[in-house]
Structure formats: C-alpha cells, structure tokens
Amino acid sequence: MAESAASRFVDQFSCSVCLDGLKEPVTIPCGHSYCMSCITVCWDQKEQGPPYRCPQCRESFSQKPLLKKNTLIAEMMETLQKTALQTGAVDCDVCITEKNRAVKSCLQCLASFCQTHLQPHYESPAFMKHKLVEASRNIQENICLSHGKLLEMYCQDDGQCICCLCTDNHKGHSVVSVDSEWTSKKDELMETEVSCQKLIQERERGQQELSEAEKLLTSSALETMEDVEKVFTELIWSLERKRFEIKEQIRAQEKTEKDRAEELRKHLDQELKELRKRQDKIKKLLITDDQIHCLKSCQSVSVLPTFEGGITQHTHLFFKDISISMFKEVLEDVCQQQTGRIFREVSNVYVSNPPEPKTSNDFLQYFCELHLDLNTAHQKVKLSEDNRKISSSEIAQQYPDQPERFNERPYILSRDGLYGRFYWEVECSGDEWAVGVCYIGIKRKGSTNDCALGFNNKSWRLGYYLKKFGFIHEQKKVSIPVVSRIGVYLDYRAGTLSFYSVSDTMTLLHRVQTTFTEPLYPAFKVGAGSSARIIDLKKKHVSTSFCNMEESCLYDTVRFSLKDISW
C-alpha cells in the first residue's frame, strides 16, 4: 500500500505542460507548479508576451514572474522517486483500465498478478502446480533464451542456471536444482553477511576511535599550546629580568667607578693646587735679587711634596669588551637544540600511520642526524670526520673510565634514544662490523652475550659475524648477501626496524616486526681493520621535519599525546 501511495503522489506532482514528473520544479504566483524548462519555453514563445499567463488557470501577470526552484517540492519528488525505485513496484499484467499493484509473479505464466487476479492460482487445480514468487519486473530472466523453458536446474561446473533441455550440453557436469543451489548459496551469503557485519562493526568502531582520537588531538593541541604560551611568556619575563639585572649591574658599576673617579679628581685638584702654589713660590725666588732671602727660602721649596699613589692607568673603561654576543650565541644554540627536540616530538604525534617509504626521497623525510656518545666507546674505537666516522684503532684511546663504556666489545652507541620514525645511512668497510639498535640497559662490562649486539633480547644488528654476513637477534641468525652501504629505517610505534641496501634504489634486506618497549639507541661495532661512516644526508634533506602519518588497515588512534612533550 505504501508503494501505491508513492506512485499516486508521483502522478499528482506532474507538470501539466510535459505531463511528466516535475523536474527542477518552480511555483508561479498563482500557486501552480511546473518544470522550470517547460514554463520558461512556454513564456519565451514568440507569440507569448505580456501579460504572461498560467497554462492551467490562465491567471495573467503583467511582468514575467521571477522563477526560483521550489526546494520543498524538489526534495519531495526526489524522496518519492527513490521510494518508487527502492520498492520496485510491479503492475498487474491482467488489469486493463487502472493498473493495480502486483503481489506475485508466476514462473509458468510469466506474468504478474494483483491480489484479485491471483485468486485462480489458489482456487483452480489447473494453476495449483504453478510456482509463485514475489512480484518481479525481471520475470523473463527466469526463462531459457534457447529453449523458452523455465530455468529449473543449476550447473555447478559452469556456474549458470539451465533448463531441462540444456542438460544435454552439460553431460558429466554436477547439475542440481535451483532450489537446492539457492539453499546452499543462501547459507554462504548468510555467512558472508555475518562477516560483512563484523567488518562494518570494526569500521564503525574505527570511526568512533578516530573521532575520539581527533577530540584528544584537539584538546591536547590546545593544552600544549597553552603550555607553550605559558613557558615562552615566563621565558620572556626571565629574559627581561636578566636584561634589567645586567643593565642595572652596568649602571651600578658605572656609578661606582664614577664616584671613584670623582674622589680621585678631588685629590688631583688638591695636589695640583699645592704644586702650582709651590711653582709660584719658586718662580718668585728665581726673579728676586735678594740672594740671602732666596737662600733662606730655597730650603722650604726645593723639596716637592710626596703624594699617595701614582697616576691611574685607565685600561678597563670599556663595557663593550663584555661578551654579550657570546651570551646570545649560547642562548640561540640551546634554543636551536631544544626546538629541534620539540619539533621531533611534535612530529611523532599522529592519528594514523603514513605510507611505508619506498624511494630514497621518501626515506629522506625521516632523516635523523646521529650524535655519538663518546662515553660509551670502547678504548679501541676512535672517532673522526666531525664524529661521523667510527674506526678501529690498534692503540687504545685515553678515554676516562665511565660506567656506560664498553670495556670488552668494540662498540659505541648514539647519545639520543629514538622512539618515532627515523632513518639513517652508514657506509661500512672491513670484515668485522655491524650496525643496529639496542635498549639503554644493554650490559657494558664483560664479553658475555648480555653485552653482545644481537645476542640478547635488548639488541638487533646487521653485519659480519664469524666471516658471515646477516641479521642477528637473540642469537637467531638470518643470512643476507653482503652489502656495504646500509640504510636503517625505524618506525617505533609500528614496531618495525628495516635494513636496506642503498644504491640507485632501496632494496629491503631484512625487516623486524615486534613491539618495542623502550627508546632505541643506534649502535655500531668496528672490529680490527674495519670502519663505519655515518652519511650526512642534510644536504639532500631540505626539510627539517622528522616524521609524518601512515594509514593502516583500520585506524590507529593517537599514540603520543602533545602534552607528553617535555618543556
């Protein structure tokens, strides 16, 4: 009944010009509605001029009405048409004047019937064996095109429906009834539907998690930006205070020295006064003719007075010698280092994982400049080329004894632990070297497996071992063809550590898939006659960004909150 009502409504909302359903409906001032194109063509005809009339009620308008789409009717027409399509309404093939809705289709009669005309199929013995199905427009599809017979059989070998006469062409095939095959397929479809429902639920859960992750990301970003504002405001205030204190110190020192200068000036003035007075007396004695008087007075003026201290040498009167510029350089260097650290931590915030890098340019966006920790270096490991080349030395280096230093194994670690997405390249030579990563807790003293890269659960390495090249973790070895230039890619969150052979292309040598529980420290081994040089990729890497955002099968929620950034 709902379908019939929908059809009637569609018929009612028809254009009186084209007699079809309203398309882009417009309503003119008299209240009647038309297709916009129909009424426009009607009024634009040469013989049609002012006044403009409604084609139905003939009401006239001195000026052509402004035509605007009636959105309410348009939406109603769209809804009604969708309803009609979705319901797949079928008319009765027997009704002559007014077509009623068909309720069943007969596979033998190849016709559809309304409730009234269907009664003979229920009452007359002649129709009792006819097969009735839900009313369908596609009833002809149930008939064999070759023989005109009902498709009652199904060939499982060819995967097609056939009639009873088609079986001659399917001899030796597995042929079953359509009902039997549909029952089997229906069970399969039901299982598929259950699997589909599970996938839908997973995706819906993924959408919910993604929405929650976005909310967390937004709130975390706002909270962190407030922290940034607070920290930098306090930093600015601190710098303002230091500026004020330094300026006050300069002013105080200036005043102190000026007071001392004033005191010194008074002494000098007094001394000058006495010296000039003595000089005047000497000049008078030199021009007098009374020799006796001169000789008597000469005794008192011939010896000059003595003064405490000498003339001050003004050698430290320049404040410009104070190294304010060094303060600026040191401060900028600290700011640069800490800003780089914060940028790396910010780059490790993501909602979903970015694609796995494939080309050298893809890897460059994750380039990480490694800083080696000399306090971990074995005595026979030396650094050169701005601490980028690691070499084996026959002479023990004079390194101070440190608890973190390897005392038996020729290793050195990076200074910084990594827990994001990073990439670095190493060029190695010799036949006793290795590159890898380890946890900070790897043992440093002794030569047991607990101290050896790759021979425990705290380290992973690629390199030479007993003249053989390969990957080692927990003493499990994987043989790999020898290469000298190695790219190491770490995706900490995804739990992947990948080693690549670097040439014109990137060739994957070995990949680790696990769950990392601590930050990873790049590690290097250089045995006798071997070396490893960390490639400087900064010239290739224009951007200073360290990571981005990879899509997984489902959504990976935020793994690192902005509020975790250590200010």
Side-chain angles (χ1 to χ4, degrees), residues 253-301:
Q253 186 65 18
E254 179 189 21
K255 183 178 183 304
T256 299
E257 294 307 311
K258 280 186 174 181
D259 290 344
R260 290 179 61 188
E262 185 62 29
E263 189 69 25
L264 181 59
R265 184 180 292 107
K266 289 179 181 180
H267 286 293
L268 291 174
D269 288 345
Q270 183 64 33
E271 291 172 358
L272 281 171
K273 185 177 180 180
E274 291 182 12
L275 288 170
R276 287 189 179 111
K277 185 177 180 181
R278 183 67 58 90
Q279 186 182 38
D280 289 342
K281 287 181 180 182
I282 293 172
K283 285 181 178 180
K284 287 178 182 180
L285 288 175
L286 289 174
I287 62 174
T288 184
D289 294 332
D290 187 350
Q291 296 177 352
I292 301 300
H293 175 72
C294 285
L295 290 172
K296 290 181 178 180
S297 302
C298 181
Q299 185 71 25
S300 62
V301 296

Side-chain angles (χ1 to χ4, degrees), residues 38 136 199 278 318 376 403 467 479-480 510 525 544 559:
C38 292
S136 171
L199 290 175
R278 183 67 58 90
F318 298 102
T376 65
K467 306 292 185 180
S479 296
I480 296 172
H510 187 77
K525 170 191 174 182
T544 58
R559 298 293 190 91

Side-chain angles (χ1 to χ4, degrees), residues 454-465:
F455 284 79
N456 48 66
N457 61 0
K458 294 184 178 181
S459 59
W460 299 257
R461 90 177 201 188
L462 184 78
Y464 277 100
Y465 176 70

Side-chain angles (χ1 to χ4, degrees), residues 423-428 433 435 462-463 469 483-488 498-502 509 535:
Y423 176 76
W424 60 96
E425 286 183 14
V426 185
E427 182 79 39
C428 301
W433 55 265
V435 296
L462 184 78
F469 188 77
V483 295
S484 59
R485 182 153 178 164
I486 296 175
V488 185
S498 305
F499 297 91
Y500 290 85
S501 171
V502 180
L509 299 174
I535 308 300

Side-chain angles (χ1 to χ4, degrees), residues 448-546:
T448 63
N449 285 342
D450 290 337
C451 307
L453 283 176
F455 284 79
N456 48 66
N457 61 0
K458 294 184 178 181
S459 59
W460 299 257
R461 90 177 201 188
L462 184 78
Y464 277 100
Y465 176 70
L466 298 178
K467 306 292 185 180
K468 295 181 180 179
F469 188 77
F471 172 81
I472 306 176
H473 173 62
E474 290 193 279
Q475 304 184 49
K476 297 176 182 177
K477 307 175 185 66
V478 179
S479 296
I480 296 172
V482 179
V483 295
S484 59
R485 182 153 178 164
I486 296 175
V488 185
Y489 173 66
L490 169 67
D491 187 342
Y492 185 91
R493 310 287 178 186
T496 58
L497 175 67
S498 305
F499 297 91
Y500 290 85
S501 171
V502 180
S503 55
D504 294 336
T505 59
M506 304 292 293
T507 304
L508 180 65
L509 299 174
H510 187 77
R511 173 174 291 152
V512 175
Q513 184 67 61
T514 185
T515 300
F516 300 116
T517 58
E518 302 175 33
L520 294 170
Y521 290 77
F524 304 89
K525 170 191 174 182
V526 284
S530 300
S531 67
R533 184 169 61 89
I534 301 171
I535 308 300
D536 185 5
L537 300 175
K538 286 188 294 185
K539 295 179 181 178
K540 295 183 180 180
H541 184 48
V542 178
S543 171
T544 58
S545 62
F546 284 81

Side-chain angles (χ1 to χ4, degrees), residues 48-59:
Q48 175 71 57
Y52 297 93
R53 292 183 173 82
C54 171
Q56 284 184 268
C57 66
R58 309 305 295 171
E59 182 176 342

